[in-house]
Amino acid sequence: MLTREELAQKLKEYGQDQVKNWVLRGSNQLQVNVDANVLPRIVGYVFNDLKARLITTVGTDRTPDTGWYEISYIFSFDWDNIILSITVEIDPEHPVVESVTPIIAGANWAEREVRDLIGVEPRNHPDPRRLVLADDWPEGLYPLRKDFPHNFKPEPVPGAEPPVRKAPENTTVVTVGPFFPTLEEPACYRLFVEGERIIDSDYRGFYSHRGIEKLADTVLDYNQVPFLAERICGICGFVHSCCYCQAVEAAAEIVIPDRARYIRTVMLELERIHSHLLWLGLAGHIIGFDTVLMQSWRIREPVMWLAEAITGNRKTYGMNLVGGVRRDISPELYPKILETIAGIESQLREVVDAIIDDTTLIMRLKDVGCLPLEDARSICVVGPTARASGVEIDSRIDHPYAAYPDLALTVPVFSAGDVWARTLVRLHELFESIGLIRQALEKMPEGSIMAEVGEIEPGREGISVIEAPRGECCHYVITGPGNRPYRWRVRASTYPQLQAVPTMLANNTVADAPIIIASIDPCFSCTERMETVDVRTRKVRVYNRNEVVEKSRREYRGGEN
Amino acid sequence: MFSSKLKEALLCLRAGRVTLPYPFVPQAPPEGFRGKPEIDGELCVGCGTCAMVCPPRLITLADEGEYRVLTVDYTRCTYCARCEEVCPEGAIKMSNNFETATNQKDDLLLQVKMKLARCSRCNRPFATQRLVKKMAQKTIGDQGSGDTVPAWVSWCPDCRQKYEARILGRLGDVEDD
């Protein structure tokens, strides 16, 4: 196992003088400051040779503070519990940085987001279209710069068009969206098809970019942000408020009471149960198998009632504050919790037993929407999507938080990478979550639920990751003056997954597009705080048009390939 | 294949109908439910702590003439219960009421008007009369009634500060002597 000191030493040896200095933070963070001109080399070394996974990049306007724009490339060393940020300082007079997307496909959106919001241009980016900002947002206005007022509304540019990609020759464009069918959320896919087969696709999202990071950096205080964070997502809200609080706690070195750690764990797992059951129902609905929708949502409802009894609301629990949780789980509720999850367990077994051999279901899901291991790694996907493609990662084990270090957990991993594998991962995880809640209640320590939190010193940094139902969610906080964050960055779990969708769609049929897109359990609102666009997949690029035509014709004629 | 279909059919038949007949049969929320926060206008002292913590900033305090007005705009309430948590007077309680839909926007607006106290030295209105009374009770206890009330109780923070400064200054003079 690599230690942070050894890693820093390795980077220093590799980068020599251009690796300037390094800082250790909290229990698992390492920050290394490097020269901007050596960045692609270092990033390539970390990603290709040291096999780290890119979580996201964070752009911060620190001109009032240090005089620079700062970009941090945050990597996870999943086997060594290290979160590495490689930080470069960018001259505000020449806001340009060499793009690392040619090295890591998964950096695509994050780099464009930094460009849209801070105004640092990624040089040689393969797809430099606008991602987060609205089409009619004026050029040259960067909302996350510190001199940009949070309530400023620029005049829309008349006649602005979305930055769509040109369809490949001889293909027809089938548009799915701008409202996604069945998920009722704004997202627009343009499928480039030839006959029934999808050749490539293009995505435009971020239709409801809400600017909440700006709001936290300028208006809200530390304990108001959790309630905003909770509203990033209507399903995994607790994940976001908890992840934010953990980031601030890491920055300010606040140790929360043990009981609060356990209560957070119980709520996180309850949230996973209702999220996966919701997904299972939706997936059934999308392929026209409404029995699954009805039955899994029937099983789900008692979880919502349980959450209501514990927190006072079926969603948006409002439980987290910096330093702990607001409401205790009274021991009188334990039997009710155990009874509810036992009921879910037995009923879920019945459903799984009924559907697991259903040939209709298997034919619709098996070998559909494949994401090969190497693509899963280069796009840096997370959660069930990654685990279905053979990537063995789970933040609960890799970067343990809350009560997870004390609990036993098995992580299901499948290698097929298709929609069926993603379904199986989630089904297994449901049973795991039930087991985790039992363990947590059994080991639940007595004591207080909220730590004393004094004034938080400005200029400290914290990164927190949480395994959300959809995959790893990451929050990054720089503390600031005025009792509020100087910078708060959210990377929700759908962000990397959506970038993998074109790979999954390629060479599938139009009829399978809705279930493939839904198979990542997309939460469009998670992403919409930021920006996006999409990319031609590596898999598609290796075929030229004629090869693809020939291949698809051959498949049509010959059936099985 | 056939056995799966059979199991699925049995599952549906066994589960039967689970949809509740709401709203024809009312649903009572569980204990500890966070419904619409009710504000007891009699207990509120206008200290403004709730307005300070409210995440969506829907509770505001403003002075209108001789009154300090607490305004609650329920249309934006997220039912987080932070106001209930911080209220020092226990004037805010989360109710069981979740059926707040209305076609009259005014139904979702609540105001508490509290008379302002004027400073007996500079005559500036500085806090609600209730708050002044409450603070006096808390700081001087039972003496806070009748003729025994010390004069400074009705002074604004600025005037108290100036007074304190003058006393300290005089102490300094004494030492100089």
Side-chain angles (χ1 to χ4, degrees), chain B residues 15-32:
Chain B
R17 179 179 159 166
V18 291
T19 316
L20 299 172
Y22 179 82
F24 305 108
V25 177
Q27 283 292 303
E31 205 184 319

Side-chain angles (χ1 to χ4, degrees), chain A residues 238-285:
Chain A
F238 191 87
V239 166
H240 284 287
S241 66
C242 187
C243 203
Y244 159 80
C245 289
Q246 284 188 178
V248 177
E249 285 152 12
E253 290 174 4
I254 297 163
V255 179
I256 70 164
D258 287 343
R259 193 173 173 84
R261 291 196 292 122
Y262 274 76
I263 291 175
R264 281 181 180 178
T265 307
V266 170
M267 295 318 296
L268 285 168
E269 292 308 323
L270 275 181
E271 201 162 72
R272 189 180 327 276
I273 292 175
H274 85 66
S275 176
H276 280 2
L277 285 171
L278 177 103
W279 177 83
L280 184 64
L282 278 176
H285 177 60

Side-chain angles (χ1 to χ4, degrees), chain A residues 219 224 227 231 289 291 295 298 308 311-313 316-317 321 326-327 350-351 353-354 357-360, chain B residues 1 4-5 7-8 11-12 14-15 18 20 30-34 52-55 57 78 80-82 85:
Chain A
V219 181
Q224 286 173 331
F227 300 93
R231 282 160 179 81
F289 190 5
T291 300
Q295 298 311 319
R298 169 176 64 82
E308 194 177 45
T311 70
N313 211 340
T316 47
Y317 307 142
L321 282 185
R326 292 169 64 202
R327 209 190 262 216
E350 283 174 14
V351 171
D353 182 48
D357 297 319
D358 191 316
T359 39
T360 323
Chain B
M1 170 72 189
S4 287
K5 294 292 171 214
K7 281 181 196 166
E8 284 153 19
L11 195 65
C12 295
R14 241 197 344 257
V18 291
L20 299 172
E31 205 184 319
F33 179 75
R34 288 181 282 128
M52 243 162 63
V53 299
C54 177
R57 308 272 166 95
T78 64
C80 68
R82 280 287 277 157
E85 192 178 356

